[in-house]
């Protein structure tokens, strides 16, 4: 097996396409690099009927925040597709940690926070899997388990903007069902002179770090260089961005709630108290049956580079080479405590329980839990992501009306992780922990609890023992019911993905109503591989409990945010080889997490652009040929106590989709316009659901009912679970209608509605499966020999499959207002905002009686920004809010799963000053606070209709996390 040691070093458009950028984020967050010259070029041709008005807008000269806002509005106005996006105020000024934070503020978009940072994006209520991500028009590989790109890996300082296409452009291959995000970099020949921009920021966390051996300060640095050579025929842009950003997480989780009834039945293995809950009035109260409190510290480092070489020797030939490389590293140290407060486990009992009414049900709000055996956790995790993207675009004009464009691209992404957890507890015994000695090395404790603030703050605990005492806390398994059977675990997930693409097209301009026709073909090959090596950790010397030597100890970690005291802490990266041995886990779950997917997608496309009076738009068509193949195994784990026998399997399918699209604009004059779009869209299935793996099951009790089986009777004991390499894409008919009013350069209003009718949706279903090639287990052969039955090879399999579709629809309201245009004394003061309402009748289940909501859908999302900018002074404050939704997270054993994330919000603020003249002209200083209100991340117990609820149906809290405030102080300078 590879990596037997946990070593710290190991752990440790295309420019030709118009960029339309929405004001919501540009004013709040973007300071990357979209040059004014390029913007002026894109906006040079006003729409019919608005020539005079457009000229007036171009005469308004603004800088800073309002410059970015004006650029965004101008570009939004001129794009044919319905888009949202972000643009730059200037080179390298972006205050956000990543582009994810920026685009999360766009109308109809919502971010999911992962470890306190915006990471993946939902567009119009659909999960991130429905979105395609491009870099300069080229598809990007993902480091995740599926297709969703993690945007926080892209530094905003190196991007000139992001365009979110909500309606298709036929030239965009791989358009997502919900939309497409196109990340863009600069084009150096749009600049008329050399530009160098430098940014530097220091950052630190509120109240320092949670783990004393992990620093709580860091910084960011970026430099951009843009120049032109050989009489302006060659342009070069180079950029480097370094991120060294700490983050932290105060975490609490409830495992569940039970009514223990005050009575348990003692057994030799569980000598519980007959009166496990007192007083009697608490017998029917809901009590927490387990909990965990963790303090997590992270160091996030990222080094990213861009290189852009542009050659334009004459007016007919243009070539651009784009290179992007990013390496992201994360070290995560997590320490804390978990224990089961369960009256049925190890003689646990509740005393002095105070009962309150919660949702019509009695709830044990406070009291004492006796005979608790807390498990002390010391975990150390690392992650390394390496991204590379290269693209070569060449455009040649055959004549004034005809051009040929060729684009070659490659994108790769590799993620390597190491996830280690270890256990310890109070007490030191001889012989280890097992079913025959459940109390060996277990010192029992009485822990007071107070859940009066549950759901809105951390609960409060008070323990009796000292869990930071290195002379009393020893390594070893302390789990109840005889233990977990190991003293820790370590897992090594690896994901690799690569995309090769060739895009060829020709364009011809015409006079009259039809003004341009584009035809072409795109060939894309995608390969993705996932591997997870799992190991159990066992203490050396026969799992004998042992104290940690002083040289591996670090200062204890405080859990006082939840009332709990200090816990023993040690440097796991150095101690791992000293105390534990690793044993591979080769169970069915291990084999099911390993798979390979290959896709070949050929897209033939055509688009016609037209203009007639006040009408303009385009009509397009794509024909998409798709070939998919998955390699996996049939995971035969039917014989208990014997090794799993994997059998290689390969399967796949071919599909063709025809996707027409229409984008239409009618200009009403006076800045008013109406947009309409209609299209047929699709999205490729999730890649983990396309895995070929099959895990068979066999019901050996098929003849155990009262009637038994008769000789010759045909029985059906086979069942299975697995993936589906023959999954068809998600498909939908989409319609959009929008009204826009452009008042002036920095003020606009937009109201948009959308409707998506999904022909099919993918969810877990039960289908027939032929088990003929799988050997009968011993118990099955016994049924044949002893009962004389006939075992039917046809059984059932539970797998993801295309099922009934449904609709997603919503309304989006967005706008910006510069109050100085209303009253001169308010010059510099403005507001930007958006709100989205979305609903769906999609049911991600075959059970019509128990509907299952789709992931990523928030019914209500809003963003609001207020800014002030005058005489070099800048200030802004922004809030984003997302209503409760089903989010995908990493759960036990590194598996992906869903949880119900409750209402989520974040407030950010900053102030700054840029010198307007003198020797310091162009120098800016900045102070920023992210997560100003320290808003929590919360989940509730259960999903959809599941989970413990109160009498009136109210849900109970599960996870509560706080990330703290992040402070940044920085300078930027352009010369």
């Amino acid at each position: 097996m590879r990596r037997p040691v946990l070593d710290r070093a190991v752990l440790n458009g295309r420019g030709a396409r118009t960029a339309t950028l929405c004001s919501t984020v540009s004013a709040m967050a973007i300071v990357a690099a979209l040059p004014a010259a390029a913007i002026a070029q894109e906006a040079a041709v006003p729409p019919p009927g608005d020539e005079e008005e457009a000229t007036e807008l171009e005469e308004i000269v603004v800088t800073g925040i309002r410059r970015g806002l004006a650029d965004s509005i101008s570009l939004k106005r001129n794009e044919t597709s319905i888009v949202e996006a972000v643009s730059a105020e200037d080179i390298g000024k972006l205050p956000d940690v990543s582009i994810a934070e920026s685009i999360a503020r766009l109308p109809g978009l919502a971010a999911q926070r992962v470890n306190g940072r915006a990471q993946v994006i939902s567009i119009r209520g659909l999960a991130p899997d429905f979105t395609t991500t491009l870099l300069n028009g080229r598809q990007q590989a993902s480091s995740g388990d599926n297709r969703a790109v993690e945007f926080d890996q892209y530094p905003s300082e190196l991007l000139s903007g992001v365009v979110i296409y909500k309606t298709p452009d036929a030239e965009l291959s791989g358009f997502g069902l919900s939309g497409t995000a196109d990340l863009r970099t600069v084009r150096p020949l749009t600049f008329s002179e050399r530009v160098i921009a430098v940014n530097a920021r220091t950052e630190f966390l509120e109240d320092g770090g949670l783990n004393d051996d992990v620093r709580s300060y860091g910084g960011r640095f970026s430099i951009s260089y843009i120049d032109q050579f050989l009489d302006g025929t060659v342009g070069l842009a180079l950029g480097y961005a370094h991120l060294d950003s700490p983050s932290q997480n105060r975490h609490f989780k409830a495992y569940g709630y039970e009514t223990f009834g005050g009575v348990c039945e003692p057994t030799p293995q569980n000598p519980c108290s007959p009166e496990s809950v007192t007083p009697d009035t608490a017998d029917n109260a809901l009590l927490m049956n387990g909990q965990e409190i963790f303090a997590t510290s992270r160091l996030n480092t990222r080094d990213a580079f861009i290189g852009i070489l542009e050659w334009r020797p004459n007016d007919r030939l243009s070539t651009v080479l784009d290179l992007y490389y990013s390496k992201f590293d994360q070290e995560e140290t997590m320490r804390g405590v978990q224990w089961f407060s369960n009256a049925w486990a190890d003689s646990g009992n509740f005393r002095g329980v105070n009962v309150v009414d919660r949702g019509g049900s009695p709830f044990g709000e406070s009291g004492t839990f006796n005979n608790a055996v807390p498990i002390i956790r010391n975990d150390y995790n690392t992650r390394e992501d390496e991204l590379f993207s290269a693209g070569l675009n060449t455009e040649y004009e055959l004549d004034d009306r005809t051009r040929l464009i060729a684009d070659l691209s490659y994108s790769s992404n590799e993620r390597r992780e190491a996830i280690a957890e270890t256990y310890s507890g109070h007490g030191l015994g001889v012989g280890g922990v097992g079913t025959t000695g459940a109390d060996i090395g277990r010192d029992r404790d009485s822990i007071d609890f107070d859940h009066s603030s549950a759901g809105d703050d951390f609960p409060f605990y008070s323990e009796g023992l000292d869990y930071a005492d290195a002379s009393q806390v020893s390594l070893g398994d302390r789990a109840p019911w005889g233990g977990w059977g190991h003293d820790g675990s370590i897992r090594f997930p690896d994901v690799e993905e690569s995309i090769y693409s060739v895009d060829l097209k020709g364009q011809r301009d015409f006079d009259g109503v039809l003004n341009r026709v584009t035809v072409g073909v795109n060939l894309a090959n995608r390969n993705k591989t996932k591997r997870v090596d799992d190991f159990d950790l066992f203490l050396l010397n026969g799992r004998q409990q042992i104290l940690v030597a002083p040289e591996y100890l670090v200062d204890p970690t405080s859990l006082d945010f939840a009332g709990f005291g200090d816990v023993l802490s040690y440097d796991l990266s150095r101690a791992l080889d000293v105390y534990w041995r690793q044993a591979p886990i080769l169970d069915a779950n291990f084999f099911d997490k390993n798979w390979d997917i290959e896709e070949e997608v050929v897209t033939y496309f055509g688009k016609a652009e037209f203009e007639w009076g006040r009408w303009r738009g385009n009509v397009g068509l794509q024909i998409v040929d798709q070939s998919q193949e998955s390699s996996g195994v049939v995971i035969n784990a039917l014989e208990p106590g014997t090794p799993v026998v994997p059998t290689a399997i390969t399967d796949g399918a071919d599909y063709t989709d025809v996707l027409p699209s229409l984008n239409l604009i009618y200009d009403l004059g006076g800045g008013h316009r109406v947009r309409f779009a209609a299209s047929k869209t699709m999205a490729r299935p999730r890649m983990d659901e396309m895995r070929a793996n099959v895990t068979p099951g066999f019901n050996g009790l098929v003849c155990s009912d009262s009637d038994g089986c008769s000789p010759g009777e045909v029985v059906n004991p086979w069942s299975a679970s697995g993936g589906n390499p023959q999954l068809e894409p998600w498909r939908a008919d989409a319609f959009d209608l929008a009204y826009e009013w452009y008042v002036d350069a920095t003020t606009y209003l937009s109201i948009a509605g959308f409707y998506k009718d999904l022909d099919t949706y993918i969810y877990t279903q039960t289908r027939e499966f032929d088990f003929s090639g799988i050997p009968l287990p011993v118990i099955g052969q016994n049924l044949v020999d002893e009962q004389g039955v006939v075992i039917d090879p046809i059984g059932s399999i539970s797998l993801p499959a295309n099922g009934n579709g449904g609709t997603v629809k919503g309304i989006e309201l967005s706008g910006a207002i510069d109050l100085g245009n209303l009253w001169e004394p308010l010059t510099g003061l403005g507001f930007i905002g958006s709100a989205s309402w979305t609903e769906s009748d999609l049911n991600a289940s075959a059970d019509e009686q128990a509907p299952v909501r789709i992931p990523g859908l928030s019914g209500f999302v809003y963003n609001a920004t207020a800014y002030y900018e005058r005489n070099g002074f800048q200030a802004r404050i922004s809030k984003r809010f997302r209503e409760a939704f089903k989010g995908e997270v990493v759960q036990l054993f590194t598996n992906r799963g869903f949880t119900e994330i409750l209402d989520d919000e974040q407030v950010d603020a900053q102030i700054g000053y840029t010198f307007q003249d003198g020797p310091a002209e162009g120098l800016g200083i900045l102070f920023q606070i992210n997560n100003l209100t320290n808003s929590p991340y919360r989940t509730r117990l259960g999903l959809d209709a599941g989970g413990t609820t109160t009498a009136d149906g109210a849900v109970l809290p599960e996870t509560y996390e706080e990330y703290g405030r992040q402070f940044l102080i920085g300078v930027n300078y352009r010369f």
Side-chain angles (χ1 to χ4, degrees):
M1 287 293 177
R2 62 180 174 80
R3 288 181 293 193
V5 177
L6 182 67
D7 182 82
R8 183 181 294 274
V10 174
L11 295 181
N12 295 318
R14 287 179 288 254
R17 183 175 290 119
T18 303
T20 302
L21 307 177
C22 169
S23 60
T24 302
V25 179
S26 63
M28 171 58 201
I30 287 293
V31 229
L34 188 60
I39 294 173
Q41 181 181 7
E42 297 283 7
V45 182
D50 276 355
E51 290 82 356
E52 182 179 350
E53 181 184 6
T55 301
E56 292 175 358
L57 291 178
E58 290 169 2
E59 290 174 353
I60 299 176
V61 179
V62 293
T63 60
I65 297 173
R66 287 177 294 160
R67 147 59 185 291
L69 178 57
D71 292 343
S72 300
I73 293 176
S74 175
L75 292 170
K76 180 178 179 67
R77 177 177 184 163
N78 286 284
E79 176 60 51
T80 305
S81 298
I82 297 177
V83 302
E84 311 291 352
V86 293
S87 75
E89 297 173 18
D90 205 345
I91 303 290
K93 285 185 180 178
L94 188 73
D96 283 322
V97 174
S98 74
I99 202 67
E101 303 283 350
S102 302
I103 62 179
R105 302 185 182 100
L106 289 167
L109 277 69
Q112 178 177 327
R113 285 198 291 177
V114 177
N115 300 326
R117 298 175 184 268
Q119 186 179 86
V120 293
I121 303 295
S122 295
I123 300 178
R124 290 181 159 178
L126 291 172
D129 299 308
F130 292 94
T131 302
T132 297
T133 300
L134 315 174
L135 179 63
N136 293 322
R138 306 172 180 113
Q139 293 189 50
Q140 292 297 286
S142 167
S143 62
D145 292 355
N146 289 292
R147 303 176 189 275
V149 166
E150 297 177 358
F151 288 96
D152 62 342
Q153 295 182 357
Y154 291 88
S156 301
E157 299 92 332
L158 301 184
L159 297 175
S160 66
V162 181
V163 181
I164 306 295
Y165 285 84
K166 292 182 174 178
T167 62
D169 183 320
E171 292 184 57
L172 284 175
S173 298
F175 189 89
L177 188 142
S178 61
T180 296
D182 189 7
L183 314 180
R184 296 179 177 180
T185 58
V186 298
R187 290 293 175 255
L189 289 184
T190 61
F191 290 76
S192 59
E193 59 184 5
R194 176 188 301 164
V195 175
I196 301 175
V198 179
N199 271 281
R201 290 182 177 83
T202 183
E203 61 180 84
F204 53 93
L205 301 175
E206 178 184 23
D207 300 328
L210 297 180
N211 292 277
D212 286 345
D213 56 333
V214 182
R215 57 181 167 81
S216 58
Y217 59 88
R220 301 173 65 193
F221 172 79
S222 68
I223 182 170
S224 298
Y225 169 82
I226 302 171
D227 208 347
Q228 304 79 36
F229 307 93
L230 301 178
D231 296 326
T233 61
V234 175
L236 177 66
L238 300 173
Y240 167 70
H242 174 72
L243 171 72
D244 183 356
S245 178
S247 61
Q248 61 188 14
N249 179 6
R250 296 172 172 89
H251 167 91
F252 170 82
K253 182 178 180 179
Y255 296 155
Y257 302 84
E258 288 188 61
T259 299
F260 293 106
V263 178
C264 73
E265 296 294 334
T267 66
Q269 290 76 28
N270 183 29
C272 57
S273 168
E275 289 293 332
S276 40
V277 181
T278 64
D280 292 342
T281 54
D283 282 354
N284 295 319
L286 289 170
L287 294 162
M288 197 172 292
N289 62 15
Q291 54 267 293
E292 63 188 31
I293 309 167
F294 296 144
T296 302
S297 301
R298 299 179 187 87
L299 291 177
N300 308 287
T301 59
R302 181 185 62 213
D303 289 286
F305 306 84
I306 62 167
I308 302 158
L309 182 64
E310 187 174 11
W311 181 48
R312 192 184 299 159
N314 51 56
D315 292 338
R316 292 187 177 274
L317 178 63
S318 175
T319 297
V320 181
L321 173 66
D322 293 292
L323 299 174
Y324 173 78
Y325 174 81
S326 175
K327 188 172 184 293
F328 177 83
D329 293 288
Q330 181 183 87
E331 290 187 38
E332 178 182 84
T333 299
M334 189 192 83
R335 299 180 176 118
V337 62
Q338 60 185 141
W339 71 96
F340 293 89
S341 48
N342 192 313
W344 317 129
D346 294 343
S347 303
N349 61 77
F350 294 88
R351 294 290 180 262
V353 177
N354 177 46
V355 179
V356 298
D357 181 274
R358 183 165 294 184
S361 294
F363 182 83
E365 185 176 70
S366 61
T368 301
F369 181 72
N370 295 315
N371 291 325
V373 184
I375 303 163
I376 309 302
R377 288 274 296 273
N378 274 256
D379 298 2
Y380 181 62
N381 309 321
T382 66
R383 173 172 171 173
E384 179 183 294
D385 293 89
E386 194 167 7
L387 294 76
F388 176 72
S389 181
L392 179 65
N393 182 277
T394 299
E395 180 176 337
Y396 181 71
E397 292 190 4
L398 297 176
D399 53 46
D400 292 341
R401 293 176 176 268
T402 309
R403 64 196 61 86
L404 302 176
I405 303 168
D407 192 277
L408 309 176
S409 66
Y410 170 76
S411 175
S412 67
N413 203 324
E414 182 175 1
R415 183 188 73 199
R416 296 176 290 272
E417 294 182 89
I419 302 170
E421 63 179 55
T422 59
Y423 317 134
S424 57
H426 202 283
L428 181 63
V430 178
V433 175
T435 56
T436 59
D439 278 323
I440 294 177
R442 295 169 182 258
D443 291 345
R444 298 178 180 277
D445 198 0
S446 294
I447 300 178
D448 297 334
F449 62 88
D450 183 351
H451 301 312
S452 58
S453 60
D456 298 315
D457 203 344
F458 293 104
F460 188 87
Y461 294 94
S462 178
E463 74 282 11
L465 299 175
D466 183 359
Y467 294 96
D469 186 346
S471 67
Q472 298 296 320
V473 175
S474 65
L475 302 176
D477 180 7
R478 297 310 203 283
W481 296 289
W484 283 324
H486 58 271
D487 304 303
S489 66
I490 182 169
R491 308 176 192 280
F492 296 99
D494 278 4
V495 176
E496 297 183 22
E497 182 173 353
S498 62
I499 302 175
Y500 301 85
S501 181
V502 178
D503 191 276
L504 305 172
K505 63 183 176 184
Q507 288 182 340
R508 174 73 177 179
D509 296 336
F510 300 93
D511 295 326
V513 175
L514 183 66
N515 52 49
R516 175 175 291 180
V517 172
T518 303
V519 295
V521 61
N522 179 278
L523 300 89
N525 174 276
R526 182 190 297 259
N527 287 272
K528 193 170 190 113
T529 299
K530 181 179 180 182
R531 297 287 181 267
V532 182
D533 290 339
D534 293 344
F535 298 85
D536 275 331
L537 296 179
F538 296 103
L539 287 171
L540 300 176
N541 301 320
R543 299 188 64 199
Q544 175 59 53
Q545 296 172 10
I546 186 173
L547 300 176
V548 181
E551 59 264 34
Y552 303 111
L553 294 174
V554 298
D555 290 341
T557 297
S558 173
L559 304 178
D560 60 356
F561 58 88
F564 211 91
D566 294 345
V567 295
L568 187 77
S569 302
Y570 46 86
D571 186 345
L572 181 57
S573 67
R574 293 192 300 119
L576 184 73
D577 289 342
V578 177
Y579 294 106
W580 291 271
R581 67 177 176 87
Q582 302 177 20
I585 305 172
L586 299 176
D587 59 5
N589 184 57
F590 161 76
F591 288 99
D592 198 32
K593 289 188 293 190
N594 294 269
W595 43 263
D596 299 89
I597 305 288
E598 180 177 5
E599 297 177 343
E600 294 275 359
V601 179
V602 180
T603 303
Y604 306 92
F605 59 88
K607 184 175 75 171
E609 301 174 55
F610 57 87
E611 186 173 346
W612 180 48
R614 293 183 176 271
W615 294 92
R616 67 184 179 96
N618 63 57
V619 59
L621 179 69
Q622 290 187 345
I623 300 175
V624 187
D625 287 336
Q626 307 147 74
S627 176
Q628 60 197 45
E629 182 177 274
S630 173
S631 299
V633 291
V634 176
I635 307 164
N636 191 344
L638 298 174
E639 302 294 354
T642 62
V644 175
V645 181
T647 303
I649 183 175
T650 300
D651 198 1
D654 299 297
Y655 300 105
T656 299
D657 281 271
V658 179
L659 309 174
S661 62
L662 169 69
N663 290 285
L664 190 62
I665 299 174
Y666 182 73
D667 200 297
L668 300 168
H672 301 270
R673 63 174 53 192
V674 176
R675 295 178 181 264
F676 174 76
S679 61
K680 184 177 284 290
T681 60
M682 55 157 276
R684 300 279 302 141
R686 286 172 56 104
M687 303 194 83
D688 60 350
E689 293 184 340
M690 294 169 62
R691 70 191 190 282
N693 296 339
V694 176
T695 304
F698 192 90
N699 179 15
L701 303 177
V702 68
C703 293
S704 62
D705 60 19
S706 58
D707 296 331
C709 293
S710 304
E713 182 178 347
V714 178
V715 295
N716 299 87
W718 285 106
S719 63
S721 62
N724 186 354
Q726 299 185 15
L727 277 176
E728 297 187 34
W730 286 296
R731 300 182 176 101
D733 297 320
F735 303 91
D736 290 78
L737 182 64
Y739 160 76
E740 299 168 349
W741 179 23
Y742 297 93
V743 181
D744 55 44
T746 53
T747 303
Y748 87 102
L749 174 67
S750 174
I751 302 174
F754 67 91
Y755 181 88
K756 296 182 184 294
D757 185 2
L758 277 72
D759 300 328
T760 180
Y761 194 81
I762 298 171
Y763 50 86
T764 301
Q765 300 174 51
T766 301
R767 301 287 177 89
E768 282 191 354
F769 188 80
D770 189 346
F771 293 83
S772 298
I774 302 174
L776 274 179
V778 172
I779 192 172
Q781 191 60 52
N782 290 339
L783 285 174
V784 174
D785 296 340
E786 298 172 7
Q787 302 283 339
V789 299
V790 176
I791 296 179
D792 191 339
I794 303 301
S796 63
I797 185 171
S798 176
L799 81 177
N802 296 87
N804 295 330
T807 62
V808 179
K809 55 188 177 183
I811 296 176
E812 299 165 351
L813 175 66
S814 64
I817 181 170
D818 184 345
L819 296 178
N821 294 325
L822 301 179
W823 188 33
E824 197 279 334
L826 297 179
T827 297
L829 181 64
F831 296 94
I832 312 161
S834 67
S836 305
W837 295 264
T838 308
E839 63 180 42
S840 172
D841 61 5
L842 282 166
N843 180 15
S845 169
D847 187 354
E848 297 292 340
Q849 303 303 315
V852 174
R853 292 174 306 121
I854 61 173
L857 178 63
S858 292
F860 178 55
V861 176
Y862 76 83
N863 299 274
T865 297
Y867 68 87
Y868 180 76
E869 178 182 53
R870 193 166 189 176
N871 299 325
F873 176 79
Q874 295 182 352
R876 45 189 153 189
I877 185 169
S878 177
K879 177 180 180 180
R880 67 172 188 257
F881 170 85
R882 181 177 190 180
E883 201 172 51
F885 66 102
K886 181 188 294 187
E888 187 175 12
V889 297
V890 177
Q891 297 180 328
L892 287 176
F893 313 125
T894 69
N895 292 320
R896 306 288 297 186
F898 295 100
T899 189
E900 175 81 5
I901 301 174
L902 301 181
D903 293 357
D904 194 47
E905 66 181 37
Q906 182 165 324
V907 178
D908 304 314
Q910 75 173 58
I911 59 173
Y913 180 77
T914 301
F915 291 91
Q916 304 293 293
D917 49 35
E921 182 180 357
L923 176 66
I925 56 176
L926 170 77
F927 175 66
Q928 181 179 0
I929 304 177
N930 290 336
N931 195 21
L932 178 65
T933 59
N934 191 20
S935 59
Y937 167 93
R938 302 168 301 145
T939 70
R940 60 110 165 157
L941 197 69
L943 276 172
D944 301 305
T948 305
T949 58
T950 61
D952 65 0
V955 297
L956 295 170
E958 180 189 39
T959 302
Y960 185 90
E961 295 181 352
E962 288 184 358
Y963 307 113
R965 298 170 181 85
Q966 180 188 44
F967 302 94
L968 295 93
I969 301 174
V971 296
N972 53 73
Y973 185 57
R974 171 176 172 168
F975 55 95

